[in-house]
Amino acid sequence: MDTIPLPTFRRRWVSKQSLLLVDGDTRSLRVLEVSLRKAGFTVTPAVSVNDAIDKLELHAPDLIISETKFPTDLDGFELRRRVRAAPEWAEIPFVFLTTETAIENKIRGLELGADDYLTKPIYIKEIVTRINILLQKRQRVRFEERRDGRTRFAGRVQDM
């Protein structure tokens, strides 16, 4: 009896990039969460700014996506301010994904240091592409910082 060889697969063991997804609209939050999980991300949902801060204190994500308006007193702009003010979170890429289309809000978000300001509705493929671009940019910056830091060798090999 002949056996059929099974194909071998080479897997790249890469840790999933983690996202903090913040939106007060639970339906919108769930739809985006499921879509981003299917795209290969680890997603932590938060329904308010305080919920997001609590989750940030437990684990800093690779990227934050936030709505600008919430039913509570705090808004996404305040979340951005708090993230930016904390040294351990300041370098996390931040994206606004919102129903707010007014140019004033977009300018406000970008002036607060948001890396992108996107308006709903949005195609999942577009947001995944933008997320990947921001994450790759962050990885390049980290690599450059390491390369310019302690990993440089100086002198002659003989002396080592």
Side-chain angles (χ1 to χ4, degrees), residues 5-23:
L6 296 174
T8 57
F9 296 98
R10 294 180 70 188
R11 254 188 204 195
R12 274 182 47 193
W13 293 101
V14 178
S15 64
K16 288 185 176 182
Q17 299 288 306
S18 63
L19 308 176
L20 175 61
L21 183 58
V22 191
D23 197 330

Side-chain angles (χ1 to χ4, degrees), residues 70-89:
F70 292 89
T72 61
D73 291 340
L74 302 176
D75 61 13
F77 300 115
E78 180 60 26
L79 174 61
R80 177 62 191 137
R81 274 189 218 87
R82 290 182 183 195
V83 167
R84 191 175 187 186
E88 65 273 19
W89 304 332

Side-chain angles (χ1 to χ4, degrees), residues 115 131-142:
D115 295 282
I131 289 168
N132 284 327
I133 288 168
L134 287 170
L135 291 172
Q136 288 170 0
K137 181 179 175 183
R138 184 175 186 209
Q139 286 176 337
R140 272 194 310 273
V141 168
R142 283 180 168 174

